[in-house]
Amino acid sequence: MGKRLDEHITSLYIGAANRLQGTRRAERIVAYVESYDDVVFWRSVLAEFETAERRFDVMLPTSRTLTHGKKLAITQRLGPNLIACVDADLDYMLQGSTPMSHDVCNNPYIVHTYAYAIESYQCYAPRLHEVCVMATLNDRRLVDIEEMMRQLSVVMHPLFVWLVWTHRHGLHNHFSVSHFAQTVAFEDINIYHPEQTIEQVRRRVNKRISALQRTFPQARKDYKQLTEEVVRLGCTPEQTYLYIQGHTLMDNIVLPIIVPICTELRREREREIQRKAVHETQRQNELAAYHHSQCSAELVLRKSTDFRDCPTYRQMREKVASLLNKQE
């Protein structure tokens, strides 16, 4: 059975189709992404670059099956009219030391997140308080979430350098992304004493680092140099959270922080309504209205697009602008 025509789409094909449309129609650039979840994120990023003469179509690489993923997106025949927009994962930090990393870092038609994944942007620390406000309609700052994320990042940073080191040396079986996640993740936190959780993570990190130092004494000669390189690439100690696995960041660090905060903020607002209500009917009506106006912290987090002042976003924006400038 012959293949469908849409399986042969290339940048040249899209460019030829653009020319057939004439000069009155906007030039079409197709952006392949990894999954359906990525469509909204990349649409918000690329929309800034749309003009009367240029538009982007954000889609998965195939319409025939549910197959998706980073490898499928970047192995298409890319070019000026067909680009791939993908999560950086660890590939940006690996700086070409693996075939996948080489493609992600060097192909001019691949735009990556620089941060680990789209979840890194959704969990951008300076905006987490606003997430709590949107979920609870309560603007009181119970906890300095940004400071908590900064402290956790500083704790994680030395171990993150080890993660990069093992992957650059092909030793990821000895210390994988999953091993790192198990070390830094937590399930609950006392929001009034977050230092207890931070200290627990610190102890686990130090224990893991000691084990790695014993297993790989040869790392001593280049660990400091690698640390400096990782910082130059943007992963400073204070912003390490942006470069760790997206699911770990959201599900095992950020949500365990903001969910109990949101729970307490809701209780506080409910107590206020109960205290101020002058009669039972008003109390019930106000509580019902408040409950109807709430939404889950996770939903707000996953729909967040307020990350444009994130340093890695600026890098991503510059990559898109550079790609488009080459076409002009």
Side-chain angles (χ1 to χ4, degrees), residues 214-264:
R214 290 192 299 271
T215 305
F216 304 110
Q218 67 272 28
R220 181 177 301 178
K221 67 177 185 295
D222 56 355
Y223 179 87
K224 181 180 178 181
Q225 180 179 346
L226 179 58
T227 300
E228 294 170 351
E229 181 183 350
V230 164
V231 171
R232 284 198 304 272
L233 290 172
C235 183
T236 63
E238 295 78 12
Q239 294 184 325
T240 308
Y241 74 94
L242 290 172
Y243 298 89
I244 71 174
Q245 186 184 43
H247 294 303
T248 298
L249 174 64
M250 179 170 285
D251 298 336
N252 301 115
I253 295 178
V254 170
L255 282 174
I257 292 173
I258 68 173
V259 166
I261 291 175
C262 288
T263 299
E264 183 56 34

Side-chain angles (χ1 to χ4, degrees), residues 107-124:
N107 190 322
Y109 302 112
I110 295 176
V111 180
H112 63 83
T113 52
Y114 288 87
Y116 194 100
I118 64 174
E119 290 92 344
S120 308
Y121 291 97
Q122 293 164 346
C123 296
Y124 183 44

Side-chain angles (χ1 to χ4, degrees), residues 200-211:
Q200 291 171 3
V201 174
R202 189 193 312 277
R203 287 197 295 267
R204 292 200 301 270
V205 165
N206 289 341
K207 182 178 179 180
R208 179 74 75 167
I209 289 176
S210 295

Side-chain angles (χ1 to χ4, degrees), residues 23 35-36 40 48 65 92 113 123 165 167 177 209 211 230 255 259 288 297 301 315:
T23 57
S35 70
Y36 292 116
V40 173
E48 178 184 352
T65 72
Y92 174 54
T113 52
C123 296
W165 187 90
H167 280 67
V177 171
I209 289 176
V230 164
L255 282 174
V259 166
L301 201 61
Q315 292 177 279

Side-chain angles (χ1 to χ4, degrees), residues 185-322:
F186 51 88
E187 295 182 356
D188 54 55
I189 185 171
N190 183 338
I191 59 174
Y192 295 104
H193 294 284
E195 69 280 357
Q196 296 173 355
T197 298
I198 294 172
E199 186 56 33
Q200 291 171 3
V201 174
R202 189 193 312 277
R203 287 197 295 267
R204 292 200 301 270
V205 165
N206 289 341
K207 182 178 179 180
R208 179 74 75 167
I209 289 176
S210 295
L212 288 166
Q213 288 173 336
R214 290 192 299 271
T215 305
F216 304 110
Q218 67 272 28
R220 181 177 301 178
K221 67 177 185 295
D222 56 355
Y223 179 87
K224 181 180 178 181
Q225 180 179 346
L226 179 58
T227 300
E228 294 170 351
E229 181 183 350
V230 164
V231 171
R232 284 198 304 272
L233 290 172
C235 183
T236 63
E238 295 78 12
Q239 294 184 325
T240 308
Y241 74 94
L242 290 172
Y243 298 89
I244 71 174
Q245 186 184 43
H247 294 303
T248 298
L249 174 64
M250 179 170 285
D251 298 336
N252 301 115
I253 295 178
V254 170
L255 282 174
I257 292 173
I258 68 173
V259 166
I261 291 175
C262 288
T263 299
E264 183 56 34
L265 289 173
R266 289 191 184 101
R267 288 172 180 165
E268 184 180 87
R269 180 66 75 225
E270 289 167 356
R271 289 193 295 267
E272 179 185 20
I273 292 171
Q274 292 172 344
R275 186 175 65 254
K276 292 182 176 179
V278 296
H279 51 71
E280 180 62 18
T281 300
Q282 185 185 50
R283 185 187 73 83
Q284 291 181 357
N285 289 342
E286 289 293 327
L287 284 175
Y290 178 59
H291 293 157
H292 180 72
S293 300
Q294 296 175 24
C295 56
S296 75
E298 181 174 1
L299 178 62
V300 175
L301 201 61
R302 293 188 183 279
K303 298 298 183 183
S304 174
T305 58
D306 190 10
F307 44 68
R308 297 186 188 278
D309 59 341
C310 181
T312 51
Y313 181 84
R314 291 195 289 270
Q315 292 177 279
M316 188 167 55
R317 188 189 181 283
E318 289 170 3
K319 178 63 182 286
V320 177
S322 174

